[in-house]
Amino acid sequence: MKILLIGAAVLAVILLGPFLIPVPDLKGTVDPSLLAEEDSLFVRLENVNVHYKVSGEGFPPVVLLHGFGASTFSWREVFSPLADRFTVMAFDRPGFGLTSRPLGEEIKGFNPYTQENQVELTVKLMDHLGFEKAVLIGNSAGGLTALEIAIAHPERVIGLVMVDAAVYTNDGDNLFFKLLTSTPQGRHLGPLVSRLFLNDARSLLDLAWHDPSKITPEILEGYEKPLKANDWDRALWELTLARRKFDVSKLGNIDIPTLVLSGDDDRIVPVEDSVRLAREIPNAVLHIFPDTGHVPQEENPQEFLEVVLPFIESLSLIERSEDRNPD
């Protein structure tokens, strides 16, 4: 009987203990639109107030898709040089930056955190801006979104630039991740996990850069700014719950010019993953940046532009040629 009582007590602690841990709302956060910058723009798409920036008048249009924990800020070094030649748009994907974060009943009709709906929101934003087609440049998890757009809407994509794209990583295979996302106890604690993960932005940046000494106080401030937005922790958890494993068998069906980029010291998405990606996408071209980590557009912007600009220019020539000779 004593053993049974002890076992029941342990089970009760395991089952009920997590619910006794409070998950209070964050203090001092504001509506993300109040954090807007001079060149910030917003548009309401479905149930989301999307934050974006656009510049330039050249062809073709270029859409920039940032990675996990990032925002339009991660394109700051290359945005203007790209806009000198092309029409460039960067936006904060749902769950990040200054884009609004619907929750609860708001996302029952349209959940912006699913991969499918992130694809649809991107296409709707292209429609809003009059981009019939665009070159998609995606970094890390943004690369996966770009791939999904190319698969679901190939007619809207002129070319792909995969920057240290997180295609093969899948936290869903991790037992701890499964427990967190599949049990009521784990779901209750989820926002606390989000806070633990992103509150230490400096450690994450150190991991992302080959040379962390290049990370200035201004860069750290730029990454921490979205943590002042209402419900960033709960939205990040909704994004985590919505993650699904990518079907890599679809890669062989991509018939779009693709440039695959990787830093040679990427400690988040191993360079081997980018090599594999370039092999599995038909006719993809691979370039590896020396002495560079997970965000070459930030850490090595000059070489990034030296590789990316000619690639986009070549796509522009091909696209214009096809427009002149549709048959």
Side-chain angles (χ1 to χ4, degrees), residues 57 69 84 98 167 252 272:
E57 299 179 351
D84 286 341
L98 307 187
V167 176
E272 293 80 12

PDB file of all heavy atoms in Angstrom, residues 57 69 84 98 167 252 272:
ATOM      1  N   GLU A  57      12.965  50.356 -57.677  1.00  0.00           N
ATOM      2  CA  GLU A  57      12.008  50.318 -58.782  1.00  0.00           C
ATOM      3  C   GLU A  57      12.448  49.383 -59.891  1.00  0.00           C
ATOM      4  O   GLU A  57      11.814  49.329 -60.946  1.00  0.00           O
ATOM      5  CB  GLU A  57      11.813  51.731 -59.344  1.00  0.00           C
ATOM      6  CG  GLU A  57      11.254  52.724 -58.322  1.00  0.00           C
ATOM      7  CD  GLU A  57      11.090  54.116 -58.899  1.00  0.00           C
ATOM      8  OE1 GLU A  57      11.567  54.335 -60.043  1.00  0.00           O
ATOM      9  OE2 GLU A  57      10.500  54.972 -58.227  1.00  0.00           O
ATOM     10  N   GLY A  69      13.786  33.828 -35.134  1.00  0.00           N
ATOM     11  CA  GLY A  69      14.281  34.793 -34.159  1.00  0.00           C
ATOM     12  C   GLY A  69      14.765  36.091 -34.768  1.00  0.00           C
ATOM     13  O   GLY A  69      15.238  36.971 -34.053  1.00  0.00           O
ATOM     14  N   ASP A  84      19.063  49.244 -55.014  1.00  0.00           N
ATOM     15  CA  ASP A  84      19.656  50.104 -56.046  1.00  0.00           C
ATOM     16  C   ASP A  84      19.436  49.522 -57.439  1.00  0.00           C
ATOM     17  O   ASP A  84      19.468  50.259 -58.435  1.00  0.00           O
ATOM     18  CB  ASP A  84      21.157  50.274 -55.796  1.00  0.00           C
ATOM     19  CG  ASP A  84      21.450  51.190 -54.623  1.00  0.00           C
ATOM     20  OD1 ASP A  84      20.548  51.970 -54.235  1.00  0.00           O
ATOM     21  OD2 ASP A  84      22.566  51.129 -54.079  1.00  0.00           O
ATOM     22  N   LEU A  98       7.887  43.038 -36.038  1.00  0.00           N
ATOM     23  CA  LEU A  98       6.818  43.960 -35.669  1.00  0.00           C
ATOM     24  C   LEU A  98       5.476  43.556 -36.276  1.00  0.00           C
ATOM     25  O   LEU A  98       4.511  44.331 -36.209  1.00  0.00           O
ATOM     26  CB  LEU A  98       7.177  45.394 -36.103  1.00  0.00           C
ATOM     27  CG  LEU A  98       8.536  45.921 -35.620  1.00  0.00           C
ATOM     28  CD1 LEU A  98       8.684  47.387 -35.958  1.00  0.00           C
ATOM     29  CD2 LEU A  98       8.733  45.678 -34.135  1.00  0.00           C
ATOM     30  N   VAL A 167      16.380  23.218 -43.981  1.00  0.00           N
ATOM     31  CA  VAL A 167      15.469  22.317 -44.690  1.00  0.00           C
ATOM     32  C   VAL A 167      15.405  20.947 -44.036  1.00  0.00           C
ATOM     33  O   VAL A 167      14.334  20.341 -43.937  1.00  0.00           O
ATOM     34  CB  VAL A 167      15.896  22.179 -46.163  1.00  0.00           C
ATOM     35  CG1 VAL A 167      15.024  21.163 -46.893  1.00  0.00           C
ATOM     36  CG2 VAL A 167      15.843  23.532 -46.859  1.00  0.00           C
ATOM     37  N   GLY A 252      13.177  17.336 -55.672  1.00  0.00           N
ATOM     38  CA  GLY A 252      13.497  16.922 -57.034  1.00  0.00           C
ATOM     39  C   GLY A 252      12.538  17.467 -58.074  1.00  0.00           C
ATOM     40  O   GLY A 252      12.826  17.390 -59.278  1.00  0.00           O
ATOM     41  N   GLU A 272      27.113  20.868 -44.555  1.00  0.00           N
ATOM     42  CA  GLU A 272      26.771  19.638 -45.271  1.00  0.00           C
ATOM     43  C   GLU A 272      25.311  19.631 -45.716  1.00  0.00           C
ATOM     44  O   GLU A 272      24.970  19.038 -46.743  1.00  0.00           O
ATOM     45  CB  GLU A 272      27.050  18.420 -44.394  1.00  0.00           C
ATOM     46  CG  GLU A 272      28.516  18.168 -44.100  1.00  0.00           C
ATOM     47  CD  GLU A 272      29.068  19.052 -42.993  1.00  0.00           C
ATOM     48  OE1 GLU A 272      28.248  19.706 -42.295  1.00  0.00           O
ATOM     49  OE2 GLU A 272      30.304  19.100 -42.824  1.00  0.00           O
TER      50      GLU A 272
END
